[in-house]
Amino acid sequence: MTIPALSIIGWSGTGKTTLIEELLRRFRARGMRVLAVKHSAHAHAPRPGPDTDTARFLAAGAAEARLVASGASVELPDGGFDLALVEGWKGGPLPKLEVWREGLERPLTADPLVLAPSLDLDAVAQRALSLAIAGLPDPPAAPAARPLTAERSVPAVRFIPSGGGAFQLASEAPDTVAVEEPLEIRISGDSLAVTMRTPGDDLDLAVGFLFAEGLIHGASDLGSVAHCGRPDDEGYGNLVEVTPAPGVHIDLEKLDATRRGTLTTSACGVCGRRSVDDLLSRVGQVPPGGPPLSAHLIASAPDLLRREQRAFARTGGTHGAAIFDLRGRLLSVAEDVGRHNAVDKAIGALVRRGLIATAPPLGTLPPPPTPDDTPTLLVVSGRASFEIVQKAAAAKLPIIAAVGAGSSLAVDLARRAGIALCTFVRGGTFNVYSRPDRIAGAPPLEP
């Protein structure tokens, strides 16, 4: 074995899988290819699927995820990955990082990692990488890794009024800004689009973009989604290659020629479209039914989103998008300089986890009432444009809550698609332009 590797061990229920997901997100943001292995407690490992830990690892950013039955040895490759993380295998030869919580049985090791809300996960990621590298027979230098680039420090000066219409220099110090860089999306080597985005969650962005455009119908259409090249390549991280699953053909001609291979900005709107009608005919309707959503949840959703917007807290320059279920549980959240990119990332994460897929065609029987854990509410930190509603309709999300205003075209599309469009959601109030019956206690709208 010539790649760094680490076993994450601990008692059942301590949060090993959740910790590995967090580590994967951080290593992916650095541009690292990580192999994630689940060492099952069962003699015969179950087949991987959308609800298994291996699927969670892939959704969090693993380049590959494997499942190994109890008692079997974990065979790690000699190359192709920058790091391997193994959940379990406490009897194996790899260096170990133990996860432990207060109140459980005695730790398995003398130096357990105690999970707590205040835990610095970036520091844990560095500790895990150091342990893995130290475990090699001849430890090499740490693999070249693309640094986190969601924000960047730049020189800045601040001027303030000094009276009489004059200004004076108040301070000169670095400021933190959100990063905007190009991301090219390719399908089996064919360039599809280039979008300006904030690095991070790029695989979710690519999948969400393809899903919103109707090019894929769910996770089953995907073979692999990965950054191209190696972390030490110049420009690494700005190209995502999507390979369809065996037997799946992705029809690139579905995407308008005016958009394919062209640059879309971070706030593109309906850019390069031949006709808005083409989009309207493809969106269809969100299935009716399901219990209404609490108005209190809608009113509080922007505050819940803001708590998750770490890049915004540091830069003030990113949009946020989050998806909640009927009970108000956060299913996915993303940030980006472009509000459309943030929505693609949030939806793409759920597509990759198998929680969102294309609904039956119009004219077929509607699905059963919405379960409590079904993706239900899309929250965006800015305004609700036509394309935001289009992406929600493609994902069959029945309710949108936007901090800002909605456009006339967004309202028209929401009404046609059967979506409850809520805008100006702030200060405990909001406006609803369509389908108020999806909200508990709301009166019907006059035609």
Side-chain angles (χ1 to χ4, degrees):
M1 182 188 70
T2 59
I3 63 170
L6 180 71
S7 282
I8 306 295
I9 65 171
W11 296 104
S12 177
T14 53
K16 300 185 293 296
T17 302
T18 301
L19 177 62
I20 291 177
E21 287 180 295
E22 292 295 335
L23 296 179
L24 287 169
R25 293 187 183 99
R26 282 158 175 77
F27 291 136
R28 176 182 62 183
R30 301 183 188 185
M32 297 176 62
R33 284 178 52 81
V34 181
L35 168 65
V37 179
K38 168 75 173 185
H39 195 257
S40 175
H42 305 285
H44 299 285
R47 182 179 179 181
D51 297 324
T52 65
D53 292 343
T54 51
R56 291 173 60 180
F57 293 157
L58 290 172
E64 183 177 327
R66 301 176 183 176
L67 195 59
V68 177
S70 175
S73 295
V74 177
E75 299 294 335
L76 298 177
D78 289 330
F81 300 95
D82 301 304
L83 176 67
L85 294 177
V86 179
E87 179 180 341
W89 206 30
K90 61 179 179 292
L94 300 180
K96 297 170 181 61
L97 178 65
E98 181 186 359
V99 182
W100 190 71
R101 292 181 184 273
E102 294 286 350
L104 294 179
E105 298 182 59
R106 294 180 58 184
L108 302 171
T109 64
D111 184 26
L113 172 69
V114 180
L115 290 185
S118 59
L119 194 64
D120 185 346
L121 290 174
D122 290 324
V124 173
Q126 189 58 47
R127 175 181 173 186
L129 184 58
S130 299
L131 286 171
I133 293 173
L136 291 175
D138 185 16
R146 187 168 186 246
L148 295 171
T149 55
E151 58 268 348
R152 181 177 301 151
S153 179
V154 297
V157 294
R158 181 176 177 84
F159 283 82
I160 60 174
S162 59
F167 284 79
Q168 67 181 21
L169 177 63
S171 60
E172 182 175 354
D175 193 14
T176 303
V177 299
V179 170
E180 184 175 32
E181 292 183 357
L183 177 72
E184 181 180 359
I185 302 173
R186 291 182 183 175
I187 308 293
S188 299
D190 188 359
S191 182
L192 182 71
V194 177
T195 184
M196 301 302 295
R197 98 303 186 194
T198 299
D201 299 320
D202 292 337
L203 308 188
D204 294 339
L205 171 57
V207 171
F209 177 82
L210 295 177
F211 185 84
E213 298 297 334
L215 297 177
I216 62 172
H217 304 288
S220 61
D221 286 346
L222 299 171
S224 65
V225 185
H227 285 104
C228 290
R230 300 286 298 171
D232 54 351
D233 293 341
E234 183 178 359
Y236 177 81
N238 288 337
L239 174 60
V240 168
E241 177 83 16
V242 178
T243 303
V248 173
H249 171 66
I250 297 180
D251 185 5
L252 303 186
E253 298 307 319
K254 285 185 177 180
L255 196 63
D256 290 342
T258 50
R259 182 160 183 171
R260 264 191 74 195
T262 62
L263 179 69
T264 61
T265 69
S266 59
C268 58
V270 191
C271 45
R273 302 289 188 173
R274 282 195 299 259
S275 169
V276 168
D277 290 339
D278 292 340
L279 283 175
L280 286 170
S281 63
R282 184 172 62 79
V283 163
Q285 289 187 333
V286 177
L293 189 68
S294 163
H296 175 75
L297 174 58
I298 295 175
S300 61
D303 291 333
L304 299 176
L305 170 60
R306 177 61 64 86
R307 294 173 193 170
E308 301 293 332
Q309 290 183 258
R310 299 175 184 176
F312 180 84
R314 293 188 291 265
T315 68
T318 57
H319 287 280
I323 298 175
F324 296 85
D325 67 10
L326 192 65
R327 290 179 287 181
R329 295 186 305 175
L330 179 65
L331 300 180
S332 66
V333 63
E335 290 184 88
D336 200 280
V337 288
R339 60 184 182 275
H340 307 109
N341 291 341
V343 172
D344 277 339
K345 288 178 178 181
I347 292 176
L350 299 188
V351 172
R352 296 179 69 205
R353 287 162 54 186
L355 295 180
I356 287 179
T358 301
L362 290 178
T364 62
L365 292 175
T370 306
D372 287 349
D373 58 354
T374 295
T376 301
L377 173 65
L378 170 65
V379 186
V380 293
S381 61
R383 64 185 178 90
S385 64
F386 169 86
E387 195 161 5
I388 297 297
V389 179
Q390 178 245 328
K391 293 177 186 298
K396 298 298 181 275
L397 297 171
I399 304 173
I400 299 173
V403 174
S407 69
S408 63
L409 198 57
V411 172
D412 291 343
L413 179 57
R415 288 175 175 172
R416 173 169 175 172
I419 292 175
L421 177 59
C422 309
T423 65
F424 297 114
V425 186
R426 53 198 186 212
T429 66
F430 55 90
N431 297 339
V432 184
Y433 299 101
S434 54
R435 291 300 303 269
D437 57 293
R438 294 192 183 276
I439 303 169
L445 283 175
E446 294 295 330

